[in-house]
Amino acid sequence: MKPACNVATLIERFFTERLMRQRNVSANTIASYRDTFRLLFMFAQVRLRKSPSALTLADLDATFIGAFLTDLEVKRGASAKTRNLRLTAIRSFFRFVSFEEPAHSALIQRVLAIPSKRHDKRQVHFLTRPEIEAVLAAPDRTTWLGRRDHTLLLVAAQTGLRLSELTGLDRDAVHLGSGAHVRCVGKGRKERTTPLTTLARCALQAWLKEPLRKGATALFPNVHGGRLSADSVQSLLGKHVRVAHKSCPSLKAKSVSPHVLRHSAAMELLQAGVDCSVIALWLGHESVETTQTYLHAHLALKEAALAKLKPYERGKRTRFQPNDHLLAFLEAL
């Protein structure tokens, strides 16, 4: 096998030349692709008994990639959605390889032909207004941590920022004058501004007067002055939701994550009569189609539409009777 077909060489060029230099992808994309190939090489060590640096392109054929994807679902318990994300990274690599190693186009095309798996699209989960208020009331605002957590959760529930956008906010990203808003860099490194309610503006005004922790520049720092991690935010949210259970029992039946707060912000806007195209801009969605999922979750809108329908007239139901054995077979499915 030619040295150029060594996977280590191709992977290095894929990350440094294609992703970083040519496409200039975000750090989040790099991290996601890195994790995919880390899992792939760990699987190869067990299945092929080869170290990652010894792998050749011929080792990564469609049969091997298919076995890896199955292993993700069976042994690691990955969802179909996660499996598809891993496959997206692998496809990107093989599209790059198709130009670097055209002699292996047959192998590459077979890998690229591996289909994504269909999966159930679950309805979005969100909190009602009483549930949001119970969570916001949970932090102990007599302490620095409690005041930080309350302000963070209030901003998250009102702005609908993604978790990465929220933890990435700096103090100078907040504008509290006329037209109060926060600026963030979202998915696809698109900068956007999100307006603040009077309540959120007042909370942030009070929070920014708090003494700085070790010269922190992050709007919501940890006790050491650094940025909060995603796990830290999930942990503090879980802690306050458990406290909120006492005053709002309906929260016990819900799994509340930072993304649920984002969904809740979207549903608040929808219930207020805001158009979907405006909500898409507010949340930083690439397409209005993404925002349509909130319409599916909004039961009140469906009930209002149902009330406008004319009821069916009572009559005898007729059942389809197949007159052919093939039609009978299809009817039985």
Side-chain angles (χ1 to χ4, degrees), residues 9-207:
T9 305
L10 291 169
I11 283 288
E12 184 177 344
R13 293 215 305 270
F14 173 64
F15 275 91
T16 58
E17 293 182 23
R18 174 57 62 87
L19 296 182
M20 295 180 181
R21 187 172 63 82
Q22 295 177 1
R23 294 186 57 197
N24 193 27
V25 301
S26 69
N28 288 336
T29 300
I30 292 291
S32 176
Y33 280 29
R34 176 203 62 204
D35 292 344
T36 295
F37 287 102
R38 183 182 291 161
L39 291 170
L40 181 68
F41 296 150
M42 287 168 58
F43 177 73
Q45 279 187 305
V46 175
R47 186 179 179 90
L48 304 178
R49 299 186 183 280
K50 278 187 173 185
S51 64
S53 58
L55 289 172
T56 62
L57 195 58
D59 293 322
L60 306 185
D61 58 12
T63 302
F64 174 81
I65 299 298
F68 166 66
L69 296 172
T70 300
D71 183 78
L72 286 178
E73 293 184 277
V74 175
K75 292 186 178 179
R76 297 184 65 89
S79 65
K81 189 175 181 180
T82 300
R83 172 218 185 257
N84 291 343
L85 286 173
R86 301 301 183 198
L87 179 58
T88 297
I90 292 168
R91 283 174 175 165
S92 181
F93 169 66
F94 274 88
R95 281 194 289 270
F96 164 75
V97 174
S98 67
F99 294 100
E100 298 290 311
E101 295 293 337
H104 294 79
S105 59
L107 179 150
I108 293 165
Q109 288 304 314
R110 283 192 289 272
V111 172
L112 292 176
I114 297 174
S116 296
K117 180 170 281 192
R118 300 292 294 270
H119 58 87
D120 295 335
K121 295 181 179 179
R122 296 180 181 177
Q123 197 164 275
V124 297
H125 299 286
F126 62 96
L127 302 183
T128 62
R129 176 62 69 88
E131 290 168 343
I132 295 171
E133 291 174 346
V135 172
L136 294 178
D140 178 9
R141 279 178 268 177
T142 62
T143 67
W144 181 86
L145 283 175
R147 292 190 293 275
R148 181 202 66 184
D149 293 356
H150 170 77
T151 311
L152 183 152
L153 295 175
L154 175 59
V155 171
Q158 189 256 291
T159 62
L161 295 181
R162 298 180 179 91
L163 179 54
S164 59
E165 296 167 349
L166 193 65
T167 56
L169 287 176
D170 287 326
R171 294 171 67 88
D172 60 6
V174 180
H175 175 74
L176 297 177
S178 178
H181 63 268
V182 291
R183 296 188 315 276
C184 73
V185 178
K187 207 170 183 179
R189 286 178 292 184
K190 293 181 180 177
E191 186 176 290
R192 74 178 190 279
T193 59
T194 306
L196 296 168
T197 62
T198 303
L199 182 63
R201 182 178 64 80
C202 292
L204 281 169
Q205 204 164 33
W207 172 245

